[in-house]
């Protein structure tokens, strides 16, 4: 049929045609792509029509980021550039976690552990995630047993109260699973876990559990690209409307997940390029953070007073403001964040800010710090991988060497 979108691999087509096909597959208008790569809509049109030659590597990477292309070969057509960007390598524990999710037992031949026992194991798992440099390995080892036992607890609950408690624990297990599955080559499994998590949260009738599941679902929508931004906004807005009336009498955890959702709304606004709304939501989240004690730290979202400066860097970076990104990156304090993966993620956001501000050497040094904090975070982060890959072709020999060394450590160029 003539109206079927062709497969970019089916025939040897040019870069511009591939870019147009991939843009249309995402349902993205030219003007949107142009804004995301800081070009005009007419520039995008001329590239797609072949009136301009293929851009350089830096622009190719920016286009890949905007289109959420996971493999550069899909965009360039060159098998020599078959490098995954936004999907990290499959973790060795992935198969066991996948099997546990897919098993979903209908019956159990043994008594399920009590919900409080599962919660104690969850507290240990979250603590291990925040403290271990190889956090995916640690969490991946714990998840299969947690998934099986939490599912059994729901199946075997005798009363309504027991079932709600078990559903809350199961939803939290699925939340932990999403952190393990993020940026791995299993998007369908990630969505399956997200959907089960939010259903279990609703069955629990627990505000905090519902908020956590909504927070993760909103992230999943936003990371799926611009065509899903409205869905992310719907999730955050509706959940905030549910949670905010509860705040006067709420626990610290409920206030924290409310603040985390307020920031998520700002994050999506920043992705849209809506600076006023992005900073307004950041201000709301900052006000919520100030209602928490100085040493409070939410175990799932990392929401706290300390993390708000890191969130400011993210907003500035997503708004593509180089000067503001670098300013926020320089003033943000990383050492006070009591989580290795969150500190590493913050370092990556700082590196993005420094790169936007034309400071690639500082960006690379910051990524080295991210690697030292949590190697598995930088290994699976698409933005970090993009910066490193770009700098492997830098004009400066010293910067090329440093980028290649980091690329080797994170396994970027072994695909």
């Amino acid at each position: 049929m003539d109206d079927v979108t062709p497969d970019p691999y089916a025939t040897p087509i040019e870069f511009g045609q591939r870019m147009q096909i991939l843009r249309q597959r995402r349902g993205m208008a030219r003007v949107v792509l142009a804004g995301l790569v800081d070009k005009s809509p007419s520039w995008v049109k001329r590239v797609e029509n072949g009136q301009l030659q293929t851009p350089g590597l830096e622009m190719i990477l920016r286009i890949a980021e905007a289109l959420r292309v996971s493999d550069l070969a899909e965009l360039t057509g060159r098998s020599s550039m078959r490098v995954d960007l936004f999907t990290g390598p499959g973790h060795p524990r992935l198969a066991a976690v996948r099997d546990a999710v897919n098993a979903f037992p209908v019956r159990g031949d043994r008594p399920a552990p009590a919900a409080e026992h599962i919660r104690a194991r969850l507290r240990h798992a979250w603590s291990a995630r925040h403290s271990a440099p190889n956090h995916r390995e640690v969490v991946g080892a714990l998840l299969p047993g947690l998934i099986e036992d939490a599912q059994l607890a729901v199946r075997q609950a005798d009363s309504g109260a027991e079932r709600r408690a078990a559903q809350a624990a199961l939803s939290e297990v699925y939340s932990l699973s999403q952190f393990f599955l993020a940026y791995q080559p299993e998007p369908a499994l990630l969505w399956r876990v997200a959907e089960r998590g939010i259903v279990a949260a609703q069955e629990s009738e627990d505000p905090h559990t519902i908020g956590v599941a909504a927070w993760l679902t909103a992230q999943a929508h936003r990371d799926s690209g611009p065509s899903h931004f409205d869905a992310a906004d719907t999730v955050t807005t509706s959940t905030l409307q549910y949670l905010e009336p509860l705040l006067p009498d709420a626990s610290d955890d409920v206030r924290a997940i409310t603040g985390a959702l307020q920031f998520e709304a700002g994050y999506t606004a920043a992705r849209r390029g809506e600076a006023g709304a992005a900073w307004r939501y950041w201000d709301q989240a900052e006000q919520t953070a100030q209602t928490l004690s100085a040493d409070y730290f939410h175990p799932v979202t990392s929401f706290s007073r300390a993390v708000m400066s890191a969130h400011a860097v993210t907003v500035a970076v997503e708004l593509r403001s180089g000067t503001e990104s670098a300013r926020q990156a320089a003033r943000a304090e990383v050492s006070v964040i009591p989580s290795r993966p969150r500190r590493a993620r913050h370092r990556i956001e700082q590196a993005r800010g420094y790169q936007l501000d034309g400071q690639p050497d500082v960006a690379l040094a910051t990524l080295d710090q991210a690697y030292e904090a949590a190697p598995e975070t930088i290994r699976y982060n698409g933005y970090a991988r993009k910066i490193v890959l770009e700098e492997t072709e830098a004009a400066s020999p010293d910067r090329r060497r440093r980028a290649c060394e980091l690329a080797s450590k994170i396994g970027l160029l072994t695909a």
Side-chain angles (χ1 to χ4, degrees):
M1 295 174 62
D2 293 339
D3 59 348
V4 174
T5 302
D7 185 339
Y9 287 123
T11 57
I13 58 178
E14 299 300 320
F15 175 87
Q17 293 173 288
R18 288 174 177 273
M19 187 173 87
Q20 181 177 10
I21 290 167
L22 294 167
R23 174 179 62 78
Q24 291 174 337
R25 282 186 176 180
R26 295 206 70 82
M28 185 185 294
R30 280 194 180 119
V31 66
V32 174
L33 177 58
L36 291 172
V37 299
D38 293 329
K39 292 288 187 179
S40 67
S42 63
W43 181 89
V44 173
K45 182 177 181 179
R46 284 183 290 157
V47 171
E48 291 182 345
N49 291 343
Q51 295 173 310
L52 292 178
Q53 63 183 19
T54 301
L57 178 60
E58 179 179 358
M59 181 53 67
I60 289 175
L61 289 167
R62 292 179 67 177
I63 294 168
E65 176 185 348
L67 295 175
R68 302 298 290 176
V69 174
S70 63
D71 190 328
L72 283 185
E74 190 175 5
L75 181 60
T76 66
R78 293 164 53 189
S79 59
S80 61
M81 297 187 74
R82 192 171 294 280
V83 179
D84 286 338
L85 287 176
F86 292 92
T87 300
H91 194 278
R93 300 277 185 183
L94 178 59
V97 174
R98 182 199 307 119
D99 289 346
V101 172
N102 289 341
F104 200 74
V106 175
R107 53 175 293 178
D109 298 326
R110 59 179 176 82
E116 185 49 45
H117 176 70
I118 295 173
R119 287 211 164 275
R121 289 159 62 188
L122 275 166
R123 287 192 292 270
H124 168 70
W126 287 119
S127 176
R129 179 183 181 272
H130 290 304
S131 61
N134 60 332
H135 51 91
R136 284 182 189 266
E137 171 63 25
V138 173
V139 170
L142 297 172
L143 274 174
L146 273 169
I147 292 168
E148 180 181 357
D149 285 349
Q151 290 174 343
L152 281 175
V154 170
R155 296 292 303 175
Q156 296 178 12
D158 291 327
S159 66
E162 285 183 1
R163 178 172 289 276
R164 286 191 294 273
Q167 291 281 20
L170 177 60
S171 181
E172 189 171 338
V173 170
Y174 284 139
S175 296
L176 182 64
S177 301
Q178 288 179 71
F179 279 92
F180 174 80
L181 292 170
Y183 305 116
Q184 295 204 59
E186 282 278 5
L189 185 64
L190 177 65
W191 273 109
R192 192 176 313 137
V193 167
E195 289 166 356
R196 289 184 184 176
I198 205 160
V199 169
Q202 291 170 331
E203 293 292 327
S204 78
E205 301 180 10
D206 177 67
H208 176 252
T209 303
I210 291 170
V212 169
W215 181 78
L216 283 162
T217 301
Q219 289 192 340
H221 278 300
R222 188 181 60 242
D223 289 345
S224 296
S227 62
H228 291 253
F229 287 175
D230 286 347
D233 284 336
T234 298
V235 172
T236 51
T237 300
S238 60
T239 309
L240 284 170
Q241 289 172 346
Y242 163 66
L243 290 174
E244 286 172 343
L246 306 177
L247 291 182
D249 301 313
S251 65
D252 284 351
D253 286 347
V254 170
R255 280 184 284 148
I257 193 59
T258 302
L261 283 161
Q262 288 166 338
F263 170 70
E264 287 305 311
Y267 195 163
T268 305
R271 282 275 183 94
R272 292 182 188 273
E274 299 170 351
W279 288 115
R280 184 172 66 253
Y281 278 118
W282 184 91
D283 285 338
Q284 291 178 12
E286 168 68 7
Q287 291 171 14
T288 302
Q290 292 303 317
T291 69
L292 303 168
S293 62
D295 60 350
Y296 177 86
F297 185 79
H298 191 264
V300 181
T301 67
S302 298
F303 190 80
S304 59
R305 291 190 192 181
V307 86
M308 289 310 300
S309 61
H311 285 338
V313 177
T314 297
V315 170
V317 168
E318 292 296 343
L319 290 170
R320 313 297 295 181
S321 173
T323 301
E324 181 64 14
S325 297
R327 187 181 76 85
Q328 293 288 354
R331 68 190 292 266
E333 179 57 56
V334 179
S335 60
V336 296
I337 299 176
S339 168
R340 278 180 174 268
R342 193 61 188 83
R343 287 200 301 272
R345 172 62 189 273
H346 179 36
R347 289 295 190 194
I348 293 167
E349 294 296 283
Q350 287 180 308
R352 293 177 69 197
Y354 288 128
Q355 190 195 41
L356 272 175
D357 196 45
Q359 302 183 56
D361 288 301
V362 182
L364 270 183
T366 306
L367 288 179
D368 274 321
Q369 293 174 321
Y371 182 84
E372 292 303 318
E376 287 193 336
T377 294
I378 186 171
R379 187 170 292 130
Y380 288 84
N381 186 279
Y383 297 116
R385 294 157 70 87
K386 170 179 147 339
I387 293 171
V388 173
L389 180 61
E390 182 178 322
E391 295 305 328
T392 60
E393 296 195 2
S396 164
D398 180 63
R399 199 188 314 146
R400 281 202 311 273
R401 176 187 58 78
R402 291 165 55 210
C404 288
E405 288 174 355
L406 185 54
S408 178
K409 286 194 289 187
I410 67 177
L412 180 59
L413 300 180
T414 59

